[in-house]
Amino acid sequence: MNPTPIPNHDFMELHPVHQHPAGCKQHCFVFTEIADIELPPEITKYPEKIKNGSIHSYTKESISPPPPKLAKDRRSRKIIALVSGLLVCVALAAGIPLGLQLRSSSLLEARLAFIRRLLVESPLVEGYWAPHMGANFSKSFAEVKSGMVGALLWPIAVPCAAQYLDAVQLTLEGLDDARRLVGKNRDMAVVENADEMEHAHTEGKLAILFGLEGGHTLGSSLAVLRSMYSLGARFVSLTGVGCTTPWASASIRNDFFDENLPSTLTNFGEIVIQEMNRLGMLVEISRLSEPAMMVALNVAKAPLLLSNALPSSMACNGTTAAVPDHILSALSQNGGVLMLNVERCGDKPMSLKDAITAINYIRAIAGVDHVGLSGSPKNYPLLLAELARDRLWGSVAIKKLVGGNIVRVLREVETNKNRLPLSEDWIPLEAIEGNAYCRYPET
């Protein structure tokens, strides 16, 4: 029989025949039909084999049937290809590069899964929590849990205008109110040291570390400081936002500023830091003036904390604590941590890109052991997932960032406890006289 040229049909597919047809001494191939496609008569009428590029007829009985799931497999591959093509078209039509689309889907989900596993192992410590009190407290708690936060630094805040009046009483009432709110929530636990913080996290509870926002909460008294420690306060911000005290100057001056108040940290301010070191309390300095920060760094016998702050280079206006580069460098020598505000730059919300830039900036100057997070509980997983794209941020580095550094600082502060002598000093009367101070005159 004369060879017949092979028709050029795109729908034809070659499949091996494992039982050779009669007269076929080599491994043969046959054309098989593809489902739902009408084949030409010469294909359907005569079974054929391919040999050396030509077609030869043979009997239908000698042909092994094609694998039964061939058509189904082909359709599946076609559907997958079609869906993939549609996704690419949508991405390109939207002006989004294909690589970015892939990263934002499968790769982003993989990084998020990695971050979630990591945050189960190590607590994410939020450096500054100012929750809605009363009926809205549950809303603040829900935001924190959605961000997989494991521990909170909760400063008890009172108005700066209460200084020289009832600031101490308001602080006691605020601390009592916060403790009662936590006591009503079985998913929260008050902690007072690093071990308790990690233990609460392993039990699936949100660890709460109480502190005080502003030295005016102490009434310029070391006795009040010691009492606050006894009540569970484990850190004190030496000044609140724009709230200069008789012994410590704030970076921002407000309407209550008295020209006779200091522009740095006074001798009594140094004694406050030393007593906090003796007690085992974190000293928070982010709202101090620059000269006062330098004095604190030189005086402190334990690592310092700068909470909810930003580097000055970001030029954020408003009430955001700004920390110059030379303070960041000195902080690394002190062993302290800056817990970066990743929520706002002054009055503007901070973008994900700006937050990552700020984190890397502090790491470059102070080091990976001296940076933490604050200000944006519900957005932490996505922020960390994007940060994980950088090879510099492996699991060890991210664990330090999210909470390892602050846990280390807490342990070092506790280690230095009781290594200094008890201070019996009082603030000089001339530092507070002339103010409407609610204090019985000393004889």
Side-chain angles (χ1 to χ4, degrees):
M1 183 180 213
N2 294 331
T4 304
I6 299 176
N8 182 18
H9 294 297
D10 294 335
F11 45 75
M12 297 169 66
E13 197 165 5
L14 299 178
H15 295 278
V17 177
H18 299 291
Q19 295 181 355
H20 295 175
C24 180
K25 296 181 181 180
Q26 299 181 14
H27 193 70
C28 302
F29 291 82
V30 298
F31 289 110
T32 60
E33 296 179 3
I34 298 177
D36 302 327
I37 298 178
E38 184 178 355
L39 299 178
E42 64 271 20
I43 301 296
T44 57
K45 185 176 181 179
Y46 300 104
E48 293 156 329
K49 69 177 182 177
I50 298 176
K51 181 179 181 182
N52 299 327
S54 62
I55 297 179
H56 300 273
S57 297
Y58 50 82
T59 62
K60 186 174 181 178
E61 288 75 9
S62 64
I63 304 174
S64 298
K69 64 177 183 177
L70 170 65
K72 183 177 179 182
D73 291 344
R74 284 280 294 173
R75 285 198 300 271
S76 298
R77 289 197 297 270
K78 285 186 176 182
I79 291 172
I80 293 172
L82 178 61
V83 172
S84 300
L86 287 174
L87 290 175
V88 171
C89 292
V90 170
L92 295 177
I96 304 173
L98 176 59
L100 182 58
Q101 282 289 313
L102 294 175
R103 285 197 301 273
S104 64
S105 55
S106 59
L107 296 184
L108 176 58
E109 284 301 321
R111 291 196 302 271
L112 282 170
F114 161 72
I115 293 300
R116 293 187 187 104
R117 289 194 302 270
L118 187 147
L119 295 183
V120 169
E121 299 170 4
S122 302
L124 193 166
V125 183
E126 159 62 46
Y128 184 89
W129 197 47
H132 301 288
M133 302 299 280
N136 293 322
F137 181 74
S138 58
K139 179 181 178 181
S140 296
F141 176 72
E143 290 180 352
V144 168
K145 292 298 288 183
S146 67
M148 295 195 70
V149 174
L152 297 168
L153 271 59
W154 184 349
I156 304 302
V158 302
C160 185
Q163 184 168 211
Y164 310 120
L165 299 173
D166 58 347
V168 174
Q169 178 177 334
L170 292 175
T171 303
L172 291 170
E173 292 172 350
L175 188 57
D176 176 73
D177 192 22
R179 277 188 168 277
R180 286 188 292 108
L181 281 171
V182 172
K184 295 177 182 178
N185 193 322
R186 295 182 179 179
D187 294 324
M188 305 176 81
V190 176
V191 300
E192 296 183 352
N193 54 54
D195 288 342
E196 291 180 4
M197 180 179 287
E198 291 183 328
H199 179 69
H201 181 66
T202 59
E203 291 190 337
K205 294 185 177 182
L206 181 63
I208 305 295
L209 189 77
F210 285 122
L212 309 177
E213 186 172 0
H216 63 292
T217 61
L218 304 176
S220 297
S221 169
L222 297 180
V224 173
L225 172 67
R226 289 187 283 268
S227 297
M228 294 296 182
Y229 177 84
S230 298
L231 292 172
R234 287 299 178 267
F235 66 94
V236 178
S237 297
L238 297 189
T239 61
V241 177
C243 194
T244 293
T245 69
W247 45 273
S249 61
S251 57
I252 302 172
R253 302 300 178 111
N254 61 22
D255 295 337
F256 304 105
F257 175 64
D258 186 337
E259 291 182 357
N260 296 321
L261 291 177
S263 58
T264 183
L265 202 65
T266 68
N267 291 335
F268 183 75
E270 295 180 17
I271 293 172
V272 170
I273 292 178
Q274 292 170 358
E275 184 65 3
M276 290 179 68
N277 288 162
R278 187 192 72 81
L279 289 168
M281 296 181 80
L282 271 171
V283 180
E284 200 282 316
I285 65 170
S286 64
R287 265 67 181 184
L288 286 180
S289 65
E290 184 180 332
M293 283 185 183
M294 286 305 302
V295 174
L297 285 163
N298 291 327
V299 169
K301 304 299 182 183
L304 298 175
L305 174 67
L306 288 91
S307 177
N308 213 35
L310 286 168
S312 299
S313 60
M314 294 192 69
C316 297
N317 298 319
T319 59
T320 306
V323 182
D325 289 356
H326 69 277
I327 297 292
L328 291 176
S329 297
L331 183 68
S332 64
Q333 299 174 12
N334 164 266
V337 173
L338 185 147
M339 304 189 79
L340 182 72
N341 182 340
V342 293
E343 181 180 30
R344 305 193 69 80
C345 179
D347 299 327
K348 300 181 301 181
M350 186 178 292
S351 68
L352 198 65
K353 179 180 178 181
D354 288 342
I356 292 175
T357 299
I359 291 171
N360 286 324
Y361 185 86
I362 294 174
R363 174 175 179 166
I365 296 179
V368 70
D369 295 320
H370 308 285
V371 58
L373 299 172
S374 67
S376 187
K378 60 184 178 182
N379 295 325
Y380 284 141
L382 181 58
L383 170 65
L384 295 170
E386 285 299 309
L387 195 66
R389 292 174 58 183
D390 191 334
R391 287 180 297 175
L392 286 175
W393 290 100
S395 59
V396 174
I398 292 179
K399 283 184 177 181
K400 289 182 178 183
L401 172 70
V402 299
N405 288 335
I406 190 64
V407 170
R408 170 187 60 79
V409 167
L410 279 171
R411 284 207 167 91
E412 290 186 25
V413 168
E414 294 159 14
T415 301
N416 288 326
K417 185 176 179 179
N418 294 322
R419 292 190 176 183
L420 294 173
L422 172 66
S423 177
E424 301 287 354
D425 291 350
W426 294 85
I427 189 170
L429 290 178
E430 59 268 20
I432 57 175
E433 64 183 358
N435 296 305
Y437 210 84
C438 289
R439 191 168 189 168
Y440 187 78
E442 295 185 14
T443 57

